[in-house]
Structures are given as C-alpha cells and as structure tokens.
Amino acid sequence: MKTAVKTELFASKAPLEWAVMANGHFYTAQIPIDTEGKVVDGGIEAQARQTMDNFKHTVEAAGLTMADVTQVLIYVTARDQLPVFNKVYAEYFEAPYPNRAAMIVAGLAREEMLCEIVAYAAQP
C-alpha cells in the first residue's frame, strides 16, 4: 500500500507527492524551491542547500532520520557544480553513508534549476 508523506513543502500543481511510503520504503525527489515554490537564487551552493533542507524536512516528516537513507541520486547541470554540491551534501550525512550516484545532465524541469536529487530510505 502506498501512502503520501505529508510535508510543509510548497504544494505543487503538478500531479505528484513530494514523498511516498510503500512496503516500508521511502521514495522522494527534491528540488531547490522555497516555501512559495520559487527556485532559490544564489547559484549551486544555495540551490544544493535548499534541496538538501527540503530533503531532510521530508525524511523527518516521514518519521525517519538521515541515517535511514539508503540511496541518493544527484543531478547537476554542470560538472563544476558537483564538488560544491558534495560539500553541502556532506553536512547532512554521517558514515555509513548512503549509496550514491551523480549525473551531469543537460537540463532539469525548470530552466533555472541547477540540481535535483532522488532518494530512497528504509524504515528501521
């Protein structure tokens, strides 16, 4: 059975949930938007931090912790953004770290977005 995770994030007009739980697993995708649904200014560091803040909020709204996260997929729009994203990302996790992949993509859903993550976690 799939259930939506209720968050305080901006309610998207798109047909999506910010996260769902199903069979003891957590699924989410997060982007660098503020409480008004606007992509934050300030370049990759500001966008990475907003994305990770949104992610942490969503994980906690599901009754989980960052230690429960099992895999993260990172998308950035330029190779030189990845070290900056990594620096911010490292502030949110402790060993043992989630499994992870990073991809450089030509673009994301909103032109001004520089990053996005997809992540999974397991209920303890």
Side-chain angles (χ1 to χ4, degrees):
M1 180 174 169
K2 175 177 66 176
T3 58
V5 174
K6 298 301 178 197
T7 71
E8 300 294 322
L9 300 178
F10 177 78
S12 176
K13 294 178 179 98
L16 63 83
E17 299 291 346
W18 286 118
V20 296
M21 295 291 298
N23 300 320
H25 296 279
F26 169 85
Y27 305 86
T28 191
Q30 295 295 323
I31 60 176
I33 59 170
D34 63 18
T35 57
E36 296 176 2
K38 296 178 182 168
V39 175
V40 296
D41 293 327
I44 186 60
E45 186 166 355
Q47 287 196 19
R49 188 160 312 282
Q50 185 68 56
T51 300
M52 292 303 296
D53 284 348
N54 290 350
F55 176 51
K56 185 173 189 279
H57 165 78
T58 304
V59 166
E60 291 172 353
L64 302 171
T65 70
M66 296 298 275
D68 298 317
V69 176
T70 56
Q71 185 175 48
V72 179
L73 308 175
I74 299 168
Y75 301 88
V76 293
T77 58
R79 190 167 308 281
D80 64 350
Q81 295 166 344
L82 193 54
V84 178
F85 194 100
N86 282 340
K87 183 181 97 148
V88 173
Y89 176 93
E91 297 172 17
Y92 291 80
F93 291 104
E94 295 178 2
Y97 300 103
N99 173 264
R100 191 187 108 148
M103 286 134 296
I104 299 12
V105 297
L108 295 163
R110 294 190 191 181
E111 186 176 351
E112 65 274 25
M113 284 176 26
L114 304 174
C115 61
E116 182 169 358
I117 63 169
V118 174
Y120 311 97
Q123 283 184 313

